[in-house]
């Protein structure tokens, strides 16, 4: 009697594919210079999704990625990305940003405002050429602002990983870049809250913010009084509660995840353990999020059109970021070459931008095709970072060590 494959076996087959294929590509082809493992995993998610391998081999796709398997993968992906964003919130060093608020405000403001404007202009061009970029629940201003912000954001967790690889994370230039990216990270969640503002549920959303503020005082007081091992567990309870409350209010659970981390102090946790925890989450569960992200890519408006939109967004994002940082450098009288170096470091978009775009897709503000174009732009922008930064670092080796 033939064996009927179970959902558990299909789930484990999907996990085998998720973890083995990107790793083998990364190792065998030695892609680390152009594409670190995290980027290969994101690309792998796209290739394994319905738009590429699913279209080429629909029988394989329908066999492995059945609805019950996808539901199980999505549950893991949700929790994984909530933890990752929670860590990003904790690691925001707002005290340093405040201590140097004048310089940080100018640099971060220009690094965000110019690419946001360029991205919004690109969004207007996209919408004027086809209605297929606006989701069923999306309004034009939400789509334009959302795409503009996606072009402006810098992915703080990936920036940390890349600067560790380049060995500049603890240098003054690295710490400066982190300050600028931190403010931009806060801005993206503020813009997201504005986009998701629902006047029919404004009372519920206001209640969430009031309740969150009151709960924050209680949680912070508790965290100061308990030992560090307990802080990890209590903060995960806090994370789940904030995510649930934010989703109930209509702001999406990821907004709650970020806020739950942002109100906690990084020095309450051992930095080495936090680094290890982030690393383990990135290795053990985040690949599931990348695959689930790839499963959402579609090309129904036409493959060439999606690639064309991604190219337009990439130009808007890269040129806007470089111009914005160059303007900031002129205002702040930076040394020669610093603006170019920082501008390319801030191009890293994978993860946070993908999470942002996932939320817009969940809320039906953008379509799967818009999401696909944004995903391609984020991957390309991130892949450009190390090849463009490495030669600049060699030229500015002495200045980088001194610039604070």
């Amino acid at each position: 009697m033939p064996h009927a494959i179970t959902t558990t076996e299909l789930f484990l087959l999907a996990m085998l594919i998720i973890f083995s294929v990107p790793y083998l590509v990364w190792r065998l082809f030695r892609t680390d210079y152009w594409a670190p493992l995290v980027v290969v995993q994101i690309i792998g998610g796209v290739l394994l999704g319905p738009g590429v391998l699913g279209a080429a081999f629909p029988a394989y796709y329908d066999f492995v990625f059945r609805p019950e398997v996808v539901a199980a993968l999505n549950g893991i992906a949700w929790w994984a990305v909530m933890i990752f964003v929670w860590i990003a919130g904790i690691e925001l060093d707002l005290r340093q940003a405040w201590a140097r608020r004048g310089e940080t405000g100018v640099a971060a403001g220009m690094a965000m405002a110019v690419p946001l404007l360029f991205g919004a202009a690109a969004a207007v061009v996209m919408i004027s050429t086809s209605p297929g970029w606006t989701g069923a629940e999306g309004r034009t201003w939400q789509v334009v602002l959302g795409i503009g912000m996606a072009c402006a954001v810098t992915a703080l967790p990936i920036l940390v990983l890349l600067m560790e690889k380049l060995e500049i994370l603890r240098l003054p230039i690295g710490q400066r870049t982190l300050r600028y990216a931190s403010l931009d990270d806060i801005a993206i969640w503020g813009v997201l809250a504005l986009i998701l503002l629902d006047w029919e549920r404004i009372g519920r959303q206001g209640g969430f913010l009031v309740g969150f503020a009151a709960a924050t005082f209680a949680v912070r007081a508790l965290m100061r009084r308990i030992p560090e091992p307990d802080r990890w567990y209590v903060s995960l309870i806090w994370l789940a509660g904030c995510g649930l409350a934010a989703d109930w209010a209509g702001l999406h659970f990821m907004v709650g995840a970020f806020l739950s981390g942002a109100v906690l102090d990084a020095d309450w946790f051992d930095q080495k353990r936090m680094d290890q925890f982030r690393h383990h989450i990135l290795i053990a569960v985040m690949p599931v999020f990348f695959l689930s992200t790839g499963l959402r890519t579609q090309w129904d408006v036409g493959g060439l059109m999606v690639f064309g939109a991604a190219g337009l967004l990439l130009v808007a994002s890269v040129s806007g970021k470089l111009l914005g940082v160059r303007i900031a450098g002129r205002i702040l009288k930076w040394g020669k070459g610093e603006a170019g170096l920082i501008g390319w470091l801030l191009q890293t978009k994978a993860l946070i931008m993908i999470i942002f775009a996932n939320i817009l897709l969940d809320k039906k503000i953008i379509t799967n095709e818009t999401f696909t174009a944004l995903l391609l732009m984020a991957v390309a922008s991130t892949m450009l970072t190390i090849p463009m930064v490495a030669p600049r670092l060699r030229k500015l080796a002495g200045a980088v060590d001194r610039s604070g």
Side-chain angles (χ1 to χ4, degrees), residues 33-92:
Y33 185 75
W34 291 92
L37 179 58
V38 62
V39 174
V40 177
Q41 288 169 335
I42 295 169
I43 296 172
V46 175
L47 296 178
L48 292 170
V52 182
L53 203 56
F57 304 101
Y60 132 81
Y61 183 82
D62 294 337
F63 175 73
V64 176
F65 296 108
R66 297 178 185 179
E68 57 270 28
V69 174
V70 173
L73 293 173
N74 283 342
I76 295 174
W78 293 340
W79 184 238
V81 79
M82 283 181 71
I83 292 175
F84 205 84
V85 169
W86 168 77
I87 294 171
I90 291 175
E91 291 184 330
L92 287 177

Side-chain angles (χ1 to χ4, degrees), residues 280-312:
H280 292 154
I281 292 295
L282 192 62
I283 288 178
V285 286
M286 282 302 287
V288 181
F289 169 72
F290 301 143
L291 186 279
S292 67
T293 294
L295 296 182
R296 311 181 80 172
T297 56
Q298 289 185 15
W299 318 81
D300 291 348
V301 298
L304 288 177
M305 202 164 185
V306 171
F307 278 106
L312 175 64

Side-chain angles (χ1 to χ4, degrees), residues 83 114 152 154 303 403:
I83 292 175
V114 178
T154 295
S403 59

Side-chain angles (χ1 to χ4, degrees), residues 114-195:
V114 178
L116 191 153
L117 291 173
F118 280 29
V124 171
V125 172
M126 290 166 59
I127 293 171
S128 64
T129 57
S130 171
W133 308 110
T134 303
E137 305 293 329
R139 299 177 182 175
T140 300
W141 73 268
Q142 291 174 309
V143 177
V144 170
L145 182 58
I147 291 176
M149 195 64 211
C151 289
V153 71
T154 295
L156 188 62
I158 300 302
L159 177 62
V160 169
L161 293 175
L162 294 185
M163 288 202 296
E164 282 180 341
K165 177 181 173 60
L166 293 165
E167 299 181 348
I168 61 170
L169 178 61
R170 304 303 174 193
L171 296 182
I173 192 77
Q175 293 301 299
R176 282 173 54 196
T177 306
L178 280 184
R179 290 201 308 272
Y180 310 151
S182 295
L183 282 194
D184 287 350
D185 239 28
I186 295 171
I188 193 174
W189 297 105
V191 169
L192 180 63
L194 175 63
I195 292 173

Side-chain angles (χ1 to χ4, degrees), residues 11-47:
F11 171 79
L12 292 175
L13 176 59
M15 294 292 280
L16 181 63
I17 294 170
I18 291 168
F19 281 91
S20 62
V21 173
Y23 177 78
L24 290 173
V25 170
W26 175 65
R27 268 290 175 224
L28 294 176
F29 293 96
R30 300 180 180 181
T31 66
D32 215 33
Y33 185 75
W34 291 92
L37 179 58
V38 62
V39 174
V40 177
Q41 288 169 335
I42 295 169
I43 296 172
V46 175
L47 296 178

